[in-house]
């Protein structure tokens, strides 16, 4: 193994193990091993197993490679297998990124390389470390062609300029006494433990052929060291990216001299620029053997004695002690979900009962961020966080939302929480519901704003000058109105379980929350409100909402109101007012008035907005005739005669206006002499 | 006439007054000699029995007589030289009659006073409305006549009528009744959407916490923002609140007694909440938790409720709870501790937001127009003619003659369904414009020297464009 350190730390103490943390009984195992692990041949005297954190690959090297090397990764469907000459015991073996070049360390002085082109003759080449008398502790690939040797006297940064030339070029080196090292491939940072106690850490950052030294920092040790020997072990340090920031995690064990109640994990934030600072303290409240993982931006701390794990979310509120924020674990400790080892062999033989995997086994080795390896059984898993069980473990819905909104696969869980809190049993109070809506809409608004400013920059044509500009990513935490409508609100209103007062209060609360975040409310939400109010004959309530413009104006809403006129007459007025305010619905207003035979009103309206020269005379004359009011017909007819006179100098209608029928009718009722005479000047 | 009044100098105008007010049911004393049984209430009570019977009989006869001409709409009023009588049958066979003396001009001729009755001054619609409101107000606090009969027969009904009208009739101010009494509208508080939604949210949460609350109404500055009651019930409750309950509590507020009264209770959040109905002092264990009872939805569900009115600064909330659950002191304390702090915050939010909105819209400048607006659909009423309501009266700031013109125009409007517009040139440069568009009515009084019809029309258009631009109002 590239890092053979067991994940646990032996701490002298009398705290006994609590026994296996059951989670079936209490429910809520929120951690699980992935269903499709990488299976490899377990380690034995002829088979050495190595893990490369950069490519997340397991190497099984049989007989120094002579009888075969099998490389498997989590995402790889087809394992890579090859043979290589047995040139002695392999200490470390890793592919460069993209599996282009294989590097093998067999001695303390040099590393062998092999350009990996399948089915072609393999010619190894070697690079000896430059520093005299230095021993190579290990190496890491930082790109497909760049490699760093870490020796006990410093680091050497090499590049394979042209693989086919089979030689390396030293780009940079740095002398420094090194106790041990650690590599974080996600951030391309190597951390070196220096000084006698080992607690001064020196980070280096690598990027396309350059190596930069970041400012070093000191890990505060729990007690003043008594002797000058290495105190800080690499087993107690991990590096991981949490919420996009690189942190160094230090597992500080319980010391008898301090009055702490248990071990804790101290997080040091390691920025690209500036100095490293202690920012968070995660209280474990227990002692014993621990191991760390980081999954979905959560820090997972496994405890071997109790066979349980706890999780911490540094984005949740904690207590600030002046230098760092102190966090308690989010959820009660639970074991990882029981895991059945897939039974090997043909299907016909698999009648034997499935074997439960021993969890928290002492042969487990944990790698960052989320890898758990069982060397004895030959499995590599990803650790996963399950969100459904969390719902019942966090009764505080506000905190639950804060937690869920930060998770990757949160959408469906959040929506189901919303549905749950609206229905019995355990219906949430309105203030809880309001809090949840506010949290969702806060996230939703953040996305909308990012999207809007992105669009503005693109539209202004500044996108080319700003290469950093990226379209904002819509995470699952963005729960928009359509999600809420489809999965929560429409289902909830249709079920009709809750009293209508509650239903309306919930809908109004959601609309209130959207408004508070200045998010334009979609029409279908208003429709839902109106539908619910109409179903319960709460027309006066609807009237009041409209009066205060709580249901924003729109043509569809105005039409919906028109359709309510037969059951609630005032809807007519509300609808017309709305059309008027829209100011783009003048045609609709005329249609509404004409349909009610309010021909004069329609004509006055269209004249008021200056559109009377272009309206169809036939339409108005039709409506006037249908009204069966001769005086009205006369007035309308005369109006158009005058319009004709004004526009064309002649009161008669043109054939294109199709008013012959009305002229005939006019003559029948009022006589031919009543027609307007053309005036000549 | 104004000119004449100025010249005479010694002339005195005597306002209309209430002469009598009675309620009877002809079915209660159908036989001869039992006429007195018909009378359920008679004011003034001192009137001699036979006169009471005579007056009731006369009304009965008039109604019967006019019914032969119009079976569904018998006479509503009777005009005489000295007075005018108004008839109203709010429930089957229950008649209410109000007799108002016409206004009088007192002149002095040869040192002797001469009275001139002004027969055409009173507007039927105004006083008919006043009479109808008398019934609505009675019904709000006592339920229907029929219900009282069912509860305990004529005796109980008589008691209730006596108890209610004895006090209520004293608060009728017949001399200052006008068009607003016809509308009996509701003034709504102008508010932005967000603050309105906050109030909604507040009400919903309060109804949830105080689960026995059936309905809630919310007012600010004596103007309505939300009513959980149906429109007709709210209309009369609003009238009670704004003309009776709130004015009675105005004076202590002005006297500065509205300071945070919870200061003496340690550990309690400071707030300005207090009960306008119910217990005065929550710390007094003997405090009485008696709330007025009101009756709503009398046409169908017939609900009896306790009316709790709670106020913090300018925000008042009416919580209505089922009458079968008597509110305890414990409940009142709970209400106070939940509602008080939140309402105090909300009230200052509303105030702040209202001032911001006013500044933005530039509505600071008072409109130079004097107008009355009323919407039959939501009963929204707005008047720049009337002063703030006081316990006694709402005073119009224009001459009564102009108010009478408004009333006349209103009568004209109610005769037809069509939209209409009426422009009247009144004396001394005044123009009065009435507009009716769908269910809305607008009355404007303009005082422009030498203005002509076209100019007046333009002015009104301008008013509509500024004040009513967000509603569909034909011009």
């Amino acid at each position: 193994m590239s890092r053979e350190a067991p994940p646990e730390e032996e701490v002298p103490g009398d705290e006994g193990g609590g026994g296996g943390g059951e989670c079936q009984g209490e429910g809520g195992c929120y951690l699980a091993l992935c269903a499709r692990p990488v299976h490899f041949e377990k380690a034995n005297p002829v088979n050495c197993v190595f893990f490369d954190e950069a490519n997340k690959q397991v190497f099984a090297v049989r007989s120094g490679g002579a009888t075969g090397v099998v490389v498997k990764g989590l995402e790889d469907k087809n394992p890579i297998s090859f043979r290589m000459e047995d040139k002695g015991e392999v200490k470390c073996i890793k592919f460069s990124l993209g599996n282009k070049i294989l590097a093998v360390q067999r001695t303390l002085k040099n590393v062998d390389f092999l350009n990996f082109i399948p089915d072609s003759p393999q010619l190894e080449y070697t690079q000896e470390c430059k520093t005299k008398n230095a021993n190579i502790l290990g190496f890491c690939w930082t790109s497909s062609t760049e490699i760093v040797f870490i020796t006990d006297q410093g680091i050497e940064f090499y590049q394979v300029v042209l693989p086919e030339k089979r030689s390396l070029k030293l780009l940079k080196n740095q002398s420094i006494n090194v106790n041990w090292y650690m590599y974080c491939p996600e951030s391309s940072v190597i951390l070196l433990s220096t000084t006698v106690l080992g607690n001064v850490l020196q980070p280096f950052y690598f990027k396309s052929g350059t190596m930069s030294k970041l400012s070093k920092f000191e890990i505060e040790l729990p007690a003043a060291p008594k002797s000058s020997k290495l105190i800080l072990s690499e087993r107690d340090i991990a590096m991981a990216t949490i919420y996009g920031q690189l942190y160094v995690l230090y597992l500080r064990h319980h010391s008898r001299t301090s009055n702490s109640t248990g071990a804790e994990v101290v997080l040091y934030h390691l920025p690209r620029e500036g100095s490293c600072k202690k920012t968070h303290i995660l209280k474990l409240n227990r002692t014993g053997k621990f191991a760390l993982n980081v999954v979905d931006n959560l820090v997972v701390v496994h405890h071997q004695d109790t066979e349980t794990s706890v999780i911490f979310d540094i984005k949740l509120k904690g207590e600030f002690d002046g230098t760092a924020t102190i966090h308690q674990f989010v959820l009660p400790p639970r074991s990882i979900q029981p895991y059945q080892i897939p039974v090997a062999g043909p299907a016909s033989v698999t009648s034997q009962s499935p074997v439960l995997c021993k969890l928290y086994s002492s042969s487990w080795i944990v790698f960052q961020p989320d890898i758990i390896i069982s060397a004895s059984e030959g499995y590599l898993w990803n650790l996963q966080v399950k969100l459904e069980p969390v719902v019942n473990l966090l009764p505080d819905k506000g905190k639950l939302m804060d937690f869920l909104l930060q998770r990757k696969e949160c959408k469906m869980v959040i929506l189901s929480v919303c549905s749950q809190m609206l229905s019995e049993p355990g219906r949430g109070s309105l203030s809880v519901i309001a809090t949840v809506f506010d949290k969702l809409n806060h996230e939703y608004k953040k996305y909308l704003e990012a999207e809007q400013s992105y669009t503005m920059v693109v539209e202004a044509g500044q996108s080319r000058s700003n290469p950093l500009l990226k379209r904002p990513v819509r995470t699952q935490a963005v729960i928009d109105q359509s999600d809420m409508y489809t999965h929560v609100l429409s289902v909830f209103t249709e079920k009709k379980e809750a009293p209508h007062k509650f239903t309306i209060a919930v809908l109004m609360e959601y609309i209130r929350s959207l408004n508070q975040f200045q998010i334009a409310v979609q029409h279908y939400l208003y429709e839902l409100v109106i539908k619910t109010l109409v179903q319960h004959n709460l027309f006066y309530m609807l009237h009041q909402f409209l009066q205060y413009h709580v249901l924003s104006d729109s043509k569809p809403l105005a039409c919906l109101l028109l359709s309510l006129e037969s059951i609630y007459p005032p809807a007519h007025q509300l609808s017309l007012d709305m059309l008027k305010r829209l100011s783009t619905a003048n045609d609709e207003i005329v249609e509404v008035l004409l349909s009610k035979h309010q021909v004069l009103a329609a004509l006055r309206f269209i004249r008021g907005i200056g559109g009377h020269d272009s309206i169809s005379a036939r339409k108005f004359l039709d409506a006037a005739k249908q009204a069966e009011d001769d005086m009205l017909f006369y007035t309308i007819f005369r109006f158009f005669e005058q319009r004709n006179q004004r526009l064309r100098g002649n009161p008669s209608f043109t054939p294109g206006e199709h008013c012959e029928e009305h002229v005939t009718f006019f003559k029948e009722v009022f006589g031919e002499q009543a027609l307007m005479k053309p005036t000549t000047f | 006439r104004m000119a004449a009044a100025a010249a005479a100098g010694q002339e005195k105008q005597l306002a209309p007054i209430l002469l009598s007010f009675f309620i009877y049911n002809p079915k209660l004393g159908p036989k001869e000699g039992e006429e007195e049984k018909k009378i359920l209430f008679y004011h003034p009570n001192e009137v001699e029995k036979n006169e009471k019977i005579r007056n009731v009989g006369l009304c009965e006869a008039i109604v019967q007589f006019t019914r032969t001409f119009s079976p569904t709409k018998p006479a509503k009023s009777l005009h005489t030289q000295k007075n005018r009588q108004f008839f109203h049958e709010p429930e089957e066979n229950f008649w209410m009659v109000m007799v108002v003396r016409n206004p009088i001009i007192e002149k002095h001729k040869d040192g002797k006073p001469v009275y001139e009755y002004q027969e055409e001054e009173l507007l039927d619609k105004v006083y008919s409305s006043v009479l109808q409101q008398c019934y609505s107000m009675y019904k709000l606090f006592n339920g229907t006549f029929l219900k009282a009969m069912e509860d305990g027969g004529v005796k109980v009904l008589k008691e209730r009528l006596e108890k209610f009208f004895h006090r209520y009739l004293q608060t009728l101010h017949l001399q200052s009744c006008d068009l607003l009494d016809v509308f009996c509208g509701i003034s709504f508080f102008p508010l932005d959407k967000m603050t309105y939604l906050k109030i909604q949210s507040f009400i919903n949460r309060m109804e949830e916490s105080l689960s026995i609350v059936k309905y809630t109404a919310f007012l600010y500055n004596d103007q309505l923002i939300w009513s959980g009651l149906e429109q007709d019930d709210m209309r009369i409750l609003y009238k009670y609140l704004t003309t009776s309950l709130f004015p009675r509590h105005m004076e202590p507020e002005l006297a500065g007694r509205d300071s945070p009264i919870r200061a003496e209770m340690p550990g309690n959040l400071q707030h300005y909440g207090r009960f306008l109905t119910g217990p005065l002092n929550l710390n007094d264990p003997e405090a009485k938790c008696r709330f007025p009872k009101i009756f709503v939805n009398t046409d169908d569900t017939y609900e009896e409720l306790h009316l709790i009115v709670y106020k913090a600064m300018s925000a008042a909330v009416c919580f209505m709870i089922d009458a079968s659950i008597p509110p305890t002191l414990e409940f009142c304390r709970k209400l106070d501790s939940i509602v008080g702090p939140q309402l105090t915050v909300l009230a200052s939010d509303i105030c702040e937001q209202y001032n911001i909105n006013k500044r933005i819209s530039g509505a600071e400048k008072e409109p130079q127009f004097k107008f009355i607006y009323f919407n039959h659909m939501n009963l929204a009423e707005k008047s720049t003619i009337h002063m703030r309501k006081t316990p006694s009266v709402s005073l119009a700031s224009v001459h009564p003659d102009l108010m009478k013109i408004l009333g006349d125009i209103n009568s004209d409007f109610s005769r037809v369904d069509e939209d209409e517009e009426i422009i009247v040139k009144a004396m001394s440069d005044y123009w009065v414009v009435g507009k009716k568009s769908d269910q809305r009515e607008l009355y404007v009084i303009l005082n422009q020297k030498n203005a002509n019809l076209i100019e007046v029309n333009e002015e009104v258009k301008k008013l509509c464009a500024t004040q009513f631009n967000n509603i569909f109002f034909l011009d």
Side-chain angles (χ1 to χ4, degrees), chain A residues 430 501 505 509 515-516 540-541 543-544 547-550 552 570 573 577 580-581 589 601 604, chain B residues 188-189 193-194 196-197 201 207-208 214 224 226-227 229 375 377-378 440 470-472 474-475:
Chain A
L430 285 173
K501 221 177 190 178
E509 203 56 67
N515 272 288
Q516 194 150 310
Y540 188 43
M541 226 182 234
H543 203 131
Q544 295 183 68
Q547 199 175 318
Y548 281 95
H549 308 298
V550 166
S552 307
Q573 190 191 68
D577 290 351
K580 161 89 187 297
R581 285 191 297 265
I589 291 177
R604 286 175 68 182
Chain B
F188 286 92
F189 187 75
K193 181 172 25 173
M194 193 56 232
Y196 183 79
L197 283 166
S201 179
E207 288 190 359
E208 187 183 55
K214 215 166 170 186
L224 187 67
W226 169 255
S227 163
L229 283 183
N375 182 355
M377 283 292 152
N378 60 358
R440 295 181 165 109
N470 59 352
I471 57 172
F472 185 79
L474 272 180
D475 52 23

Side-chain angles (χ1 to χ4, degrees), chain A residues 3-4 91-92 145 172 177 234 297 324 455 457 479 529 567 582 661 669:
Chain A
R3 284 185 52 211
E4 293 175 31
K91 288 182 184 300
C92 186
T145 54
K172 208 164 182 186
N177 281 325
E234 68 171 309
N297 293 314
T455 315
V457 174
I479 311 274
V529 174
I567 36 174
L582 285 169
E661 177 199 337
V669 179

Side-chain angles (χ1 to χ4, degrees), chain A residues 249-380:
Chain A
L249 291 80
Y250 165 47
L251 180 61
R252 181 155 67 183
H253 292 285
H254 171 68
S255 84
R256 292 192 167 169
T257 48
S258 76
N259 49 11
S260 68
T261 54
E264 53 196 31
V265 177
V266 184
L267 267 62
Y268 291 82
H269 178 219
L270 186 55
R272 190 87 15 107
E273 276 159 39
S275 59
C276 185
K277 261 199 218 102
K278 181 167 104 173
T279 53
H280 300 274
I281 296 170
L282 316 180
K283 289 281 190 192
L284 301 178
N285 294 336
R286 37 171 75 182
T287 60
K289 300 172 188 170
F290 298 99
L292 300 176
N293 272 133
V294 172
V295 184
D296 204 357
N297 293 314
L298 294 168
V299 178
V300 183
V301 184
H302 307 290
H303 186 230
Q304 200 184 29
D305 303 2
T306 57
E307 294 188 4
T308 56
S309 308
V310 286
I311 54 175
F312 294 88
D313 186 347
I314 58 169
K315 274 235 177 134
L316 291 187
K317 253 195 214 126
E319 195 188 316
F320 190 65
D321 75 347
T323 52
T325 313
I326 298 167
H327 298 266
Q328 306 295 337
F329 39 79
V330 185
L331 303 166
R334 286 288 186 272
S335 160
I336 295 171
Q337 205 170 54
Y339 185 83
Q340 284 179 6
I341 291 178
V343 181
S348 57
V349 202
T350 57
S351 54
Q352 74 234 59
S353 58
V355 182
L356 272 182
C357 176
K358 169 86 180 96
L359 302 173
Y360 300 91
S361 146
S362 56
S363 74
W364 275 18
I365 305 168
V366 174
F367 290 95
Q368 296 319 316
D370 58 353
I371 307 286
I372 293 177
I373 292 177
S374 170
S376 63
E377 283 162 315
Y379 283 102
L380 178 151

Side-chain angles (χ1 to χ4, degrees), chain A residues 391-406:
Chain A
V391 173
N392 297 321
L393 293 173
L394 259 186
D396 179 342
K397 291 273 186 293
K399 200 172 164 194
L400 176 65
M401 277 299 146
D402 287 339
F403 177 81
L404 290 177
L405 282 169
Q406 300 298 338

